[in-house]
């Protein structure tokens, strides 16, 4: 798990890894003519990531470590359920159907992040209705209005 | 005068409906804290894909105009700027709201936004044609350097870290190379069937702007929100009479906004703050600023909207956006096959002048609807962030799918978005990345063409680094980087002294 301390050093290291990865993909076993522009980008990217690393190492010597550890970790924990809902939504939309999965994802967001508990029946009904209304509007807009035919999958 | 010839095109029922809808949606979306104008415009782009070019641009222009002004609503009522452009408005606007003068403050916002906006569009009308003429002299190398200049300026000016801004731009360029080589047709970086078509501009726009916003909104759940000020009774006509007498604030705001707008990459947040600072410095009572001084709001908001028109000048002529939202508009132009430059005004003159004329009408709609919302906007502030997050997620998915009816686009949008969310945490911003994706094909095409011509003539290096326009553009690139490095260095010294 990435430490949230020393954000500058982390960003420099990650940038360097991305730069190396992109350089390998651009240079290794590729046609020089086809990959000319990406290779130029890769060299520039590598150069900047090295500069970033030096800057981060230099600032680490001068400054104390960033004290936003707790805040950043709390943010990630808060966001994690939403991210999981999003991933499940993404993986199932093609299989079950765009509209049904969209409704479920919308409702899941309202339940997980709402102030009322999921067992609060009136609140649950209200959230279900809001989700249904929003998806209904999207159906009218995309399916009927713009003739966009989304995958219906098993259901719709 | 072309802008007069096509004015009637704006007054069709369909276009008026788009203006009304776009302005209303823009004001409401702009008022919602946490939703940036850039993201709002990016989300609307898929809808314009199915419209005629002029109609699509009218909708986008109305949204752009209105979101900038709408951000003042939350700035005043909740002390949370709806967009970075409204930071200066919050300084005095919220103080006025605390004193029971919220509606009056909102009146000043929309009235001065209208004045500044009209001034900005006049600049757009008169500056664009001569600059488009200049663009006729641009060959492949000039177009290549222009693309690099655009990315450099957006990546450096306004970025906390020059290196990260430039790297974000390079990353965008790298993403744009996924798919087919433009000259040879061979595939690059296609490791999955989902990447065969490359990354569509709109997929990148929505992924890089909307998706991180969803996760950021979820972060806000559970945090205490700002205290909402009530809306007081205030007659708009009295506010209007007061507003038009504040000539100095209006003039300073409008001129600052126009100048900042025309500078590529600067953006609205700088316009508002600079105008506020200038009007305070020239005031006889600077101690009143920050305590509820109307001139602070008038200068800031007139600057914000005066920026809109001029930010389109370098965009429509040279493909260099004057603000991050203008960068999104560039994507909107390209998906309709409208390429910035002199051809835009010759081959597509009717479309572009109709669009520019519609911005004038959009200002009128913004004023009328904004004044109405001044009395009825409290409910907008009460929308919980997780409702907004859920809405944006579903809208982003449907909007992305509707472009090419491709599930791969949705997958790529999601991956880009989550990556951008974490990249934001590491200090990288989306605007240069998006511009890299948009301008990447232009940069590469012209680079390859320039290379071919250079090899056939005096040599590639000579071809790319000679000529007055090339040298001017290269100097511009170096100057923007040098200026940003210098400005960041001064800022760090100031912070070190304070600590």
């Amino acid at each position: 798990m990435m430490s949230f301390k020393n954000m500058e050093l982390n960003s420099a290291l990650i940038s360097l890894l991305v730069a190396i990865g992109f350089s390998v993909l651009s240079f290794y076993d590729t046609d020089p003519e086809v990959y000319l522009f990406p290779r130029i980008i890769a060299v520039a990217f590598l150069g900047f990531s090295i500069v970033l690393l030096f800057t981060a190492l230099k600032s680490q010597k001068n400054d104390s470590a960033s004290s936003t550890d707790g805040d950043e970790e709390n943010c990630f924990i808060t966001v994690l359920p939403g991210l999981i809902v999003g991933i499940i939504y993404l993986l199932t939309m093609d299989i079950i159907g765009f509209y049904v999965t969209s409704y479920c994802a919308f409702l899941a967001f309202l339940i997980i992040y709402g102030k009322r508990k999921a067992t609060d029946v009136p609140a649950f009904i209200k959230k279900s209705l809001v989700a249904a209304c929003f998806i209904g509007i999207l159906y009218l807009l995309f399916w009927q209005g713009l003739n966009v035919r989304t995958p219906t999958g098993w259901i719709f | 005068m072309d802008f007069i010839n096509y004015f009637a095109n704006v007054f069709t029922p369909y276009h008026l409906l788009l203006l009304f809808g776009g302005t209303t949606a823009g004001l409401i979306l702009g008022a919602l804290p946490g939703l940036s104008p850039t993201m709002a415009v990016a989300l609307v782009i898929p809808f314009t894909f199915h419209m005629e070019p002029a109609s699509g641009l009218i909708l986008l222009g109305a949204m752009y105009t209105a979101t900038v002004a709408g951000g003042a609503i939350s700035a005043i009522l909740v002390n949370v700027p709806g967009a970075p452009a409204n930071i200066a408005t919050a300084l005095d606007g919220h103080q006025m709201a605390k004193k029971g003068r919220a509606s009056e403050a909102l009146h000043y916002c929309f009235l001065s936004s209208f004045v500044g906006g009209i001034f900005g569009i006049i600049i757009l009308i008169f500056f664009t044609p001569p600059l488009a003429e200049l663009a006729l002299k641009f060959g492949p190398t000039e177009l290549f350097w222009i693309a690099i200049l655009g990315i450099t300026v957006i990546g450096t000016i306004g970025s906390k870290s020059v290196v990260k801004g430039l790297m974000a731009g390079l990353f965008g360029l790298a993403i744009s190379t996924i798919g087919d080589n433009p000259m040879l047709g061979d595939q690059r970086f296609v490791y999955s069937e989902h990447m065969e078509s490359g990354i569509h501009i709109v997929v990148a726009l929505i992924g890089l702007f909307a998706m991180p916003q969803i996760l950021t909104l979820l972060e806000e759940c559970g945090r205490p929100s700002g205290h909402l000020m009530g809306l007081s009774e205030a007659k708009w006509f009295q506010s209007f009479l007061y507003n038009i007498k504040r000539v100095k604030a209006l003039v300073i705001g409008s001129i600052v906004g126009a100048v900042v707008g025309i500078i590529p990459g600067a953006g609205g947040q700088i316009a508002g703050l600079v105008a506020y600072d200038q009007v305070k410095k020239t005031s006889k009572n600077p101690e009143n600023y920050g305590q509820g001084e109307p001139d602070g709001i008038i200068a800031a908001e007139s600057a914000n909207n005066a920026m809109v028109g001029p930010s389109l000048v370098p965009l429509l002529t040279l493909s260099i956006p004057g603000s991050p939202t203008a960068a999104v508009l560039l994507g909107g132009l390209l998906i309709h096959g409208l390429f910035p430059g002199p051809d835009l005004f010759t081959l597509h003159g009717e479309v572009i002048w109709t669009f520019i004329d519609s911005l004038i009408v959009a200002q009128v709609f913004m004023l009328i609807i904004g004044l109405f919302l001044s009395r009825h906007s409290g409910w907008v502030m009460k929308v919980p962030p997780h409702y907004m997050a859920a809405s944006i997620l579903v809208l982003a998915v449907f909007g992305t799918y509707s472009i090419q009816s491709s599930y791969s686009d949705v997958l790529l949008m999601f991956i880009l978005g989550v990556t951008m969310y974490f990249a934001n945490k590491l200090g990288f911003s989306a605007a240069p990345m998006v511009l890299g994706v948009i301008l990447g094909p232009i940069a590469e095409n012209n680079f390859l063409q320039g290379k071919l011509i250079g090899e056939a003539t005096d040599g590639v290096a000579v071809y790319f680094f000679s000529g007055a326009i090339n040298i001017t553009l290269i100097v511009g690139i170096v100057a923007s980087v040098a200026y940003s490095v210098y400005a960041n260095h001064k800022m760090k010294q100031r912070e070190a002294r304070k600590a």
Side-chain angles (χ1 to χ4, degrees):
Chain A
M1 176 82 174
M2 185 178 81
S3 165
F4 285 96
K5 291 184 181 178
N6 300 323
M7 200 54 79
E8 286 304 312
L9 188 59
N10 285 335
S11 63
L13 289 169
I14 290 169
S15 305
L16 187 60
L17 281 171
V18 171
I20 292 170
F22 186 66
S23 300
V24 167
L25 291 175
S26 302
F27 281 91
Y28 181 71
D29 199 25
T30 54
D31 186 321
E33 283 296 316
V34 175
Y35 279 79
L36 175 61
F37 198 64
R39 286 181 177 190
I40 294 170
I41 296 167
V43 169
F45 203 82
L46 204 54
F48 280 120
S49 61
I50 292 169
V51 169
L52 197 63
L53 184 62
F54 276 124
T55 313
L57 288 170
K58 190 179 159 189
S59 67
Q60 225 200 339
K61 280 182 194 168
N62 297 336
D63 302 332
S64 54
S66 164
S67 57
T68 59
D69 309 352
D71 292 343
E72 291 296 341
E73 287 185 24
N74 283 340
C75 281
F76 184 67
I77 290 167
T78 307
V79 156
L80 191 59
L83 208 49
I84 293 170
V85 167
I87 291 169
I88 296 170
Y89 176 30
L90 187 72
L91 295 174
T92 56
M93 61 174 60
D94 214 19
I95 302 168
I96 298 175
F98 264 50
Y99 287 94
V100 169
T101 49
S102 298
Y103 170 80
C104 294
F106 197 104
L107 186 59
F109 265 51
L110 301 193
I111 291 170
I112 293 169
Y113 291 97
K115 286 179 183 166
R116 301 277 176 91
K117 289 184 184 172
T119 47
D120 186 331
V121 174
F124 180 80
I125 292 172
K126 179 190 158 195
K127 288 171 185 174
S128 302
L129 285 171
V130 169
C133 280
F134 192 81
I135 301 302
I137 291 169
L138 287 186
Y139 168 78
L140 289 171
L141 191 57
F142 284 94
W143 194 279
Q144 300 292 338
L146 299 174
N147 280 321
V148 174
R149 294 293 184 255
T150 53
T152 51
W154 295 339
I155 311 174
F156 184 60
Chain B
M1 288 285 220
D2 286 327
F3 80 94
I4 296 173
N5 294 342
Y6 298 111
F7 215 96
N9 290 352
V10 180
F11 292 96
T12 63
Y14 182 53
H15 286 166
L16 287 174
L17 187 64
L18 286 175
L19 279 165
F20 176 78
T23 308
T24 308
L27 282 168
I28 292 172
L29 288 174
L32 291 167
L35 297 190
S36 64
T38 314
M39 190 225 71
V41 175
L43 272 179
V44 169
I45 284 188
F47 295 95
T48 68
F49 205 60
H50 306 276
M51 297 177 182
E52 291 296 316
S55 308
L57 288 177
I58 286 172
L59 180 62
L60 291 175
M63 292 274 309
Y64 184 15
T65 302
T67 46
V68 172
I73 297 175
S74 58
I76 288 167
L77 297 184
V78 198
N79 201 25
V80 176
N86 307 107
I87 290 171
T89 309
L91 296 172
D92 280 286
H94 192 63
Q95 295 303 319
M96 282 187 73
K98 278 182 178 176
K99 292 174 184 173
R101 299 165 67 191
S103 289
E104 191 186 331
L106 287 170
H107 290 165
Y108 296 146
C109 277
F110 292 112
L111 290 164
S112 44
S113 289
F114 173 75
V115 172
I118 294 293
F119 178 77
I121 294 164
I122 292 170
I123 299 286
L124 172 65
I125 288 169
F126 289 104
F127 272 66
T128 306
L131 205 53
E133 288 293 316
L134 175 66
L136 272 171
K137 298 179 185 170
F138 283 38
T141 52
E142 286 81 4
L143 290 170
F144 167 74
W145 287 122
I146 270 282
I148 301 301
L149 176 64
I151 296 166
T152 308
V153 167
I154 284 269
T156 54
I157 294 178
S159 251
K160 284 187 183 168
S161 164
V162 173
V163 176
K164 285 182 181 176
L166 291 171
M167 287 181 73
L170 282 170
F171 189 76
L173 283 174
I175 292 171
S176 75
T177 61
I178 296 172
D180 296 335
N181 176 291
M183 280 211 168
L184 301 168
D186 295 51
Q187 286 193 331
R188 294 182 298 203
F189 306 116
V190 176
Y191 305 112
S192 156
E193 57 176 3
H194 295 298
M195 297 161 83
E196 277 174 6
S197 310
I199 295 185
H200 196 281
I201 287 171
V202 181
V203 172
L205 283 172
I206 296 177
L208 295 173
F209 281 121
M211 288 298 299
Q213 202 66 51
I214 294 167
L215 297 172
T216 306
L217 282 166
L218 294 180
E219 282 180 17
E220 289 173 24
C221 295
R223 281 191 203 155
S225 53
H227 178 63
L228 176 64
M229 293 288 130
L231 287 163
S232 51
E233 286 293 317
K235 295 196 183 341
W236 72 266
F237 191 67
Q238 284 173 346
S239 305
F240 170 70
L241 290 175
Y242 178 85
N243 210 11
I244 56 171
K245 286 178 191 164
R246 313 310 301 168
V247 176
K248 187 173 77 170
L250 281 171
V251 168
I252 289 174
S254 299
I255 291 174
V256 166
V259 169
V260 170
I262 215 163
I263 298 171
Q269 53 267 37
I270 300 175
L273 286 167
V274 170
Y276 183 88
D277 186 54
Q278 289 304 308
V279 83
K280 181 179 172 183
K281 279 181 180 159
T282 55
S283 168
K284 289 175 189 168
N285 308 104
E287 68 281 358
N288 289 347
Y289 285 77
Q291 312 298 325
E293 171 57 55
D295 277 4
I297 301 170
I298 291 168
E301 285 299 312
S302 58
N304 286 343
N305 261 53
M307 182 272 305
V308 170
S311 71
L312 300 177
V313 172
L315 175 76
L316 296 176
T317 54
L318 303 171
S319 305
I320 307 179
S323 68
T325 313
V328 175
L329 270 172
L330 176 58
L333 281 169
L334 294 176
I335 63 170
H336 286 292
L338 303 169
F339 294 91
D343 286 346
L344 195 63
F345 292 87
T346 49
L347 298 175
H348 306 285
E350 184 176 350
V351 172
I352 288 304
W353 285 114
T354 303
F355 163 58
I356 293 174
D357 290 336
S358 75
L359 293 175
I360 299 174
V361 182
Q363 293 291 339
V364 176
F365 273 90
M366 184 271 300
L367 176 64
I368 296 169
I369 299 169
L371 288 174
F372 173 77
L373 280 179
S374 298
R375 299 192 63 173
H376 303 282
S377 54
W379 64 271
V380 175
M381 304 297 112
K382 293 177 185 168
V383 178
H386 57 290
Y387 275 74
M388 286 195 279
S391 307
I392 295 169
L393 173 66
V394 177
L395 208 51
V397 164
F398 275 81
T400 305
Y401 185 85
S402 73
I403 303 161
Q404 300 182 117
S405 296
S406 164
Y407 171 72
S408 302
D409 285 344
V410 178
L411 193 64
L412 290 169
M413 182 269 295
F414 194 85
I415 292 170
L416 273 177
V418 174
T419 307
M420 191 67 236
Y421 170 73
F422 288 107
N424 279 340
K425 297 292 180 193
L426 295 173
F428 295 93
S429 55
M433 212 175 285
V434 161
L435 207 55
V437 175
I438 293 171
L439 294 178
I442 295 171
E444 184 174 9
N445 276 334
N446 287 291
F447 172 78
L448 294 173
Q449 280 183 38
K451 178 176 166 287
L452 281 174
I453 296 171
E455 282 168 350
T457 53
D458 298 323
V460 177
V462 170
Y463 191 58
F464 271 88
F465 291 94
S466 65
I469 299 175
N470 280 340
I471 291 169
T472 306
L473 293 171
I474 293 167
V475 166
I477 291 167
V478 173
S480 76
V481 173
Y483 170 75
S484 299
V485 169
Y486 171 75
N488 280 356
H489 178 66
K490 293 296 269 186
M491 192 174 70
K492 280 178 184 163
Q493 280 184 333
R494 246 181 277 133
E495 282 169 6
R497 259 184 256 127
K498 275 185 193 168

